[in-house]
Amino acid sequence: DGGITQSPKYLFRKEGQNVTLSCEQNLNHDAMYWYRQDPGQGLRLIYYSQIVNDFQKGDIAEGYSVSREKKESFPLTVTSAQKNPTAFYLCASSTVAHYEQFFGPGTRLTVL
Amino acid sequence: DQQVKQNSPSLSVQEGRISILNCDYTNSMFDYFLWYKKYPAEGPTFLISISSIKDKNEDGRFTVFLNKSAKHLSLHIVPSQPGDSAVYFCAARGSEKLVFGKGMKLTVNP
């Protein structure tokens, strides 16, 4: 089965700690994305990557970092510099030539 | 500056009736539009899309209409089913990324 996996589904961290969210896809997509969803805010783009070893900031990149060492993987680190990290995080992927993005199931991060 | 707007936060319809979800955009450079459906605590799933060179696209119970002069698109669901109850996002493609609206909650009552 092709798809996108995100782990874990729920994540709890203490304030001031960095935390890394996993995203893996086996769709052979070149492009990958990280979004954040807050109540009433829709989906906001954090970072995206169109090819391995390259990525660009989205609309709300401050306090986040990413890496793209493999085509299949695009982990997101939520750093202690992110002022409001508690949110629902969604990873997505797409072929470069297509416009539809396929989403993973999401990770709910709660910072205590 | 919100480039994609879903002005109605919610809609409630009876099973079997038509659901019409609206979306407005401000950027005339958007060339592709999509609708996604999302259940709570899950990722969005793609529903239907339309290119800016078309004014209508149909897929089963779902039809998307695009009015470029008005910068408006709508999603029609006929007939509506209780399983359609979810949050619907419209999105527009610009500068190699998607811009999403804030979503609209559809409730289909049996």
Side-chain angles (χ1 to χ4, degrees):
Chain A
D1 275 342
I4 302 175
T5 57
Q6 292 185 243
S7 60
K9 181 72 172 175
Y10 299 95
L11 188 56
F12 297 88
R13 279 294 181 270
K14 292 183 179 180
E15 191 173 348
Q17 290 181 335
N18 291 355
V19 60
T20 297
L21 281 59
S22 168
C23 178
E24 304 279 332
Q25 55 98 359
N26 60 3
L27 300 167
N28 200 33
H29 286 171
D30 289 304
M32 297 187 73
Y33 313 80
W34 274 105
Y35 292 90
R36 167 179 173 146
Q37 186 189 14
D38 296 284
Q41 289 290 332
L43 278 65
R44 294 185 289 170
L45 182 64
I46 303 173
Y47 268 99
Y48 65 102
S49 167
Q50 296 190 4
I51 56 172
V52 174
N53 293 322
D54 187 48
F55 46 83
Q56 288 78 40
K57 292 181 179 180
D59 300 318
I60 55 165
E62 185 176 352
Y64 299 98
S65 66
V66 293
S67 63
R68 187 86 185 276
E69 298 177 1
K70 298 186 300 181
K71 186 176 184 177
E72 302 79 18
S73 179
F74 191 40
L76 172 75
T77 297
V78 184
T79 75
S80 57
Q82 168 50 232
K83 296 179 180 178
N84 296 298
T86 294
F88 189 55
Y89 291 87
L90 288 159
C91 179
S93 69
S94 70
T95 61
V96 174
H98 293 176
Y99 303 149
E100 289 87 359
Q101 293 181 13
F102 296 86
F103 285 82
T107 293
R108 168 72 64 183
L109 172 65
T110 301
V111 176
L112 306 172
Chain B
D1 181 26
Q2 195 180 348
Q3 298 186 68
V4 177
K5 299 178 183 179
Q6 294 178 259
N7 293 317
S8 299
S10 63
L11 173 68
S12 182
V13 300
Q14 285 298 118
E15 181 178 5
R17 297 289 184 96
I18 184 172
S19 295
I20 299 177
L21 290 71
N22 295 307
C23 182
D24 297 297
Y25 62 95
T26 57
N27 189 340
S28 58
M29 298 301 291
F30 288 149
D31 63 354
Y32 196 75
F33 303 87
L34 307 90
W35 283 94
Y36 283 85
K37 174 181 178 180
K38 185 182 181 301
Y39 294 117
E42 294 185 9
T45 54
F46 170 74
L47 269 179
I48 192 169
S49 61
I50 187 168
S51 167
S52 60
I53 63 173
K54 295 186 176 181
D55 55 16
K56 178 182 176 181
N57 189 27
E58 194 171 355
D59 184 2
R61 297 186 298 114
F62 302 93
T63 302
V64 56
F65 295 92
L66 176 63
N67 183 333
K68 285 183 63 179
S69 61
K71 295 189 179 67
H72 176 83
L73 68 155
S74 61
L75 174 68
H76 292 209
I77 306 174
V78 183
S80 301
Q81 300 174 353
D84 296 329
S85 297
V87 175
Y88 289 78
F89 291 95
C90 67
R93 182 182 183 270
S95 301
E96 298 182 339
K97 61 182 180 181
L98 295 182
V99 180
F100 286 84
K102 292 188 175 183
M104 176 181 181
K105 183 177 182 180
L106 173 65
T107 302
V108 181
N109 301 302

